[in-house]
Amino acid sequence: MLGDLWYKNAVVYNLDVETYLDANGDGCGDFEGLMRRVDYLSSLGVDVLWLAPFQPTPNRDNGYDVTDFYGVDPRFGSSGDFVEFVHRAKSRGIRVIVDLVVNHTSDRHPWFRSARDHPESPHHDWYVWADKRPSTWRQGTVFPGHQQATWSRDPQAKRWYFHRFYDFQPDLNMQNPAVREEIRRIMGYWLELGVSGFRVDAVPFIIEEPPRAAGPPKLHFEYLEELRDFLQWRAGDAVLLGEANVLPKEASQYFGGGDGIHLMFNFWVNQHLWYALATGDARPLAAALRDTRRLPDSCQWAHFLRNHDELDLGRLTPEQREAVFERFAPDEGMRLYGRGIRRRLAPMLGDRGLLQLAFNVLYSLPGTPVVWYGDELGMGEDLRLPQRDAVRTPMQWSGEANAGFTGAEKPFRPVVSRGPYAYEHVNVERERREQDSLLHWNMRMIRLRKECPEIGWGEWRTVSTRNPAVLALRYDWHGDALLVLHNFAGEATEVTVRTEAKPGERLSSLLDLEDCEPTAGGTYRVALDAYGSAWYRIGALDYALG
Ligand code: NOJ
């Protein structure tokens, strides 16, 4: 039974409580503040909030280093505040999903402390150890230039422990049944508190056997089905949203024929989309979409433009990556880990037309769009902050001191206060009042996306336009059909499309009053502005009949 598959037609918004709104004046966001903004999020039109980790943490990796999986960091409030927030969101029809960061813990987690202090402790085997330095100790670091090894020696345990990420994030031993049982307990706990699912951090690393010798690691995909089974027994409509930057041919194993992960971020399409934005050539993007086309009916891709990490371009060819770097991150300081960009969407794209094109594509890709907080306004980055923190500055609510984010003199991280993206220019209060602001435009586009369920639930295919700069997609669902075109070139163009329609049937524009009548030959001539998009229902609009 597929149910209504709500997640296939949802718009997801990702935020970090820490940077959203500070209600108690200590300089850092909290659940009380977030609660005050649920109405904003509701009017924006998003259906799901994905919260970055908010559990107790030494905060050396933006909360992805947890010391208590069952708690709320006291800086953000209490478990009671969390439940109140979930209740408030649900009352506005908004679901909440939370990060499940169980590949590793913080090295200050009581489990690791006990594991390293007493090698005979039951928690010792919760982590991954070696007596001698494995030959692979320098291989596979995720943060090159900032973390040199994946195995480090613990002076207390006098053994080597494995950490796929930073050395303060020891990996949990997923082969240990007690660890798996604890993870089920963690999921069960948050489900009882009302969440609708989990964004599963670092999926490929959760299922890999720690690489002790050279060669490809063994992956345990059956574990994903175990997680899914547990989730679905506890909450039939809850979902897993997986973070796995893998090649298209590997993805099907993560979906597990419909018994694994429900939603996977489509990193492959994301990187080719950035290539298209950089070069004006939409063909590799169309190919990337076709590469990731086949997936089980109950599964879905999650699409995004930017997220809280670097814009990872590691899957492009070196020439393609260089083209994106040259256009969008010309200075070395804008780049990170040799493969990515640590900038926000708006400053990278600069031009409003190009920015709208990027969002137009996001909302019309076959999948579920995920928006990174602040991008709906066109917020900028702060390159003076280290690594990925550049894109994690406080939300810009108003032109008041510290962007209205906090009443404290000094926010825990500075707000963007210089240049064209400073909070005096880019903020919610201002954009709410300006009818042609990016915020209003995004609200309209989110509404439009929700009027087009063909995109999430339907069949889709690329349509030939013979213009390398134009991406055209057709969707069909229950007798309704949609045609969406995007021009990645900085010049206006006109393309001819041939698409099945009843003789004489027009294309009804969903963005403006410019419908498109068929030519005598039954084709359609569609005019597109520079970086322009067109959304058409094939046939007449039937609102009146509704
Ligand atoms: C992936 C997260 O997106 C990233 O922010 C984090 O640093 C690593 N996983 C480690 O948890």
Side-chain angles (χ1 to χ4, degrees):
M1 174 58 202
L2 295 180
D4 71 353
L5 307 183
W6 60 268
Y7 48 91
K8 297 186 98 176
N9 258 320
V11 178
V12 182
Y13 186 88
N14 176 208
L15 65 88
D16 192 340
V17 181
E18 190 177 45
T19 47
Y20 215 57
L21 182 68
D22 171 21
N24 68 1
D26 67 353
C28 139
D30 43 44
F31 276 108
E32 177 65 38
L34 177 54
M35 256 184 285
R36 292 188 197 167
R37 290 300 183 255
V38 169
D39 290 326
Y40 165 75
L41 293 161
S42 161
S43 70
L44 181 58
V46 299
D47 307 283
V48 183
L49 301 179
W50 151 31
L51 301 190
F54 51 81
Q55 289 80 3
T57 172
N59 217 11
R60 297 178 69 192
D61 181 16
N62 207 41
Y64 283 91
D65 46 337
V66 175
T67 51
D68 174 7
F69 289 104
Y70 300 97
V72 168
D73 194 293
R75 292 177 307 142
F76 307 148
S78 65
S79 308
D81 294 326
F82 174 79
V83 170
E84 282 306 299
F85 153 70
V86 173
H87 171 75
R88 174 99 40 115
K90 281 187 172 171
S91 73
R92 305 293 193 284
I94 299 178
R95 294 171 183 264
V96 177
I97 66 175
V98 298
D99 243 285
L100 184 68
V101 190
V102 291
N103 173 68
H104 49 268
T105 68
S106 158
D107 60 352
R108 297 197 209 153
H109 194 292
W111 302 337
F112 192 67
R113 284 175 189 249
S114 129
R116 64 172 12 162
D117 280 355
H118 315 283
E120 69 294 348
S121 115
H123 286 122
H124 189 75
D125 196 36
W126 282 38
Y127 294 89
V128 179
W129 300 96
D131 286 325
K132 288 205 195 112
R133 191 176 74 193
S135 59
T136 52
W137 73 298
R138 275 188 175 277
Q139 287 169 21
T141 56
V142 176
F143 306 122
H146 296 264
Q147 173 63 54
Q148 315 304 340
T150 46
W151 289 86
S152 293
R153 186 167 184 279
D154 182 59
Q156 265 161 281
K158 300 190 176 53
R159 299 185 82 191
W160 293 75
Y161 66 94
F162 179 64
H163 50 88
R164 174 53 79 181
F165 296 98
Y166 292 110
D167 56 3
F168 55 80
Q169 290 166 314
D171 271 39
L172 282 164
N173 175 10
M174 304 303 293
Q175 309 309 314
N176 183 337
V179 171
R180 292 190 179 200
E181 192 184 322
E182 188 69 31
I183 291 173
R184 289 196 291 273
R185 216 190 313 274
I186 295 166
M187 292 170 71
Y189 177 82
W190 293 105
L191 289 169
E192 288 304 311
L193 292 193
V195 307
S196 294
F198 302 92
R199 179 265 190 188
V200 189
D201 188 56
V203 182
F205 301 135
I206 292 180
I207 60 174
E208 80 175 359
E209 267 182 28
R212 292 172 192 271
K218 189 166 173 352
L219 298 173
H220 289 276
F221 287 101
E222 73 284 354
Y223 181 52
L224 298 179
E225 294 186 17
E226 207 179 301
L227 283 183
R228 168 76 181 262
D229 261 5
F230 177 81
L231 176 88
Q232 238 67 104
W233 276 109
R234 289 288 170 99
D237 65 344
V239 292
L240 300 173
L241 164 58
E243 186 220 8
N245 183 349
V246 294
L247 291 171
K249 64 176 188 306
E250 297 161 355
S252 65
Q253 288 178 283
Y254 289 80
F255 289 123
D259 293 328
I261 300 269
H262 301 75
L263 289 151
M264 292 254 289
F265 286 107
N266 197 327
F267 285 92
W268 184 250
V269 163
N270 172 266
Q271 301 182 31
H272 289 88
L273 167 56
W274 278 97
Y275 177 74
L277 291 166
T279 60
D281 184 354
R283 288 170 301 181
L285 171 59
L289 283 165
R290 287 191 293 264
D291 293 342
T292 54
R293 189 187 161 73
R294 294 174 71 79
L295 75 177
D297 282 350
S298 60
C299 295
Q300 178 79 303
W301 289 111
H303 290 291
F304 59 103
L305 295 171
R306 281 295 282 115
N307 62 18
H308 62 294
D309 289 326
E310 79 283 6
L311 168 60
D312 190 339
L313 304 169
R315 298 277 178 203
L316 296 180
T317 64
E319 296 74 33
Q320 289 175 327
R321 186 162 47 250
E322 205 39 50
V324 184
F325 273 154
E326 251 174 51
R327 174 96 195 254
F328 297 128
D331 301 338
E332 196 48 45
M334 297 170 168
R335 305 177 189 178
L336 195 57
Y337 311 136
R339 59 163 189 255
I341 301 180
R342 56 189 208 104
R343 301 188 72 195
R344 277 235 186 211
L345 193 61
M348 260 193 288
L349 297 175
D351 180 282
R352 170 81 183 255
L354 198 52
L355 195 52
Q356 289 188 184
L357 169 67
F359 276 114
N360 254 305
V361 175
L362 173 71
Y363 296 131
S364 65
L365 283 177
T368 298
V370 182
V371 178
W372 174 227
Y373 82 93
D375 278 352
E376 76 275 25
L377 305 175
M379 267 173 58
E381 71 273 343
D382 183 347
L383 290 170
R384 291 170 307 166
L385 296 173
Q387 299 182 50
R388 294 165 290 164
D389 285 357
V391 299
R392 299 167 177 172
T393 57
M395 178 72 173
Q396 295 173 196
W397 292 108
S398 72
E400 284 168 28
N402 286 320
F405 161 71
T406 177
E409 220 166 275
K410 207 169 176 283
F412 84 100
R413 187 175 291 145
V415 299
V416 173
S417 54
R418 294 186 191 178
Y421 301 94
Y423 66 87
E424 289 92 338
H425 314 299
V426 177
N427 65 63
V428 173
E429 194 176 274
R430 180 171 180 166
E431 294 197 28
R432 214 186 231 150
R433 297 185 207 185
E434 290 171 354
Q435 283 307 310
D436 62 351
S437 66
L438 188 65
L439 175 61
H440 272 286
W441 184 86
N442 267 306
M443 285 175 168
R444 287 198 297 277
M445 290 307 294
I446 290 175
R447 193 164 63 221
L448 174 59
R449 169 65 179 78
K450 289 162 79 167
E451 285 172 359
C452 302
E454 298 97 321
I455 299 178
W457 285 324
E459 296 285 316
W460 67 272
R461 60 189 161 83
T462 51
V463 176
S464 163
T465 64
R466 292 176 192 277
N467 182 334
V470 176
L471 174 73
L473 298 166
R474 176 182 169 133
Y475 293 90
D476 285 274
W477 185 66
H478 285 207
D480 284 332
L482 199 66
L483 182 69
V484 186
L485 300 99
H486 305 289
N487 177 17
F488 283 79
E491 304 91 45
T493 188
E494 209 173 79
V495 290
T496 301
V497 281
R498 182 175 291 283
T499 193
E500 294 126 47
K502 294 189 197 109
E505 199 160 52
R506 71 171 181 272
L507 303 178
S508 304
S509 174
L510 298 174
L511 290 182
D512 53 29
L513 297 173
E514 306 297 316
D515 290 350
C516 183
E517 300 293 341
T519 61
T523 60
Y524 296 89
R525 296 282 303 154
V526 177
L528 292 163
D529 291 339
Y531 303 133
S533 296
W535 293 51
Y536 296 115
R537 269 266 144 64
I538 300 177
L541 294 178
D542 64 356
Y543 292 128
L545 304 174

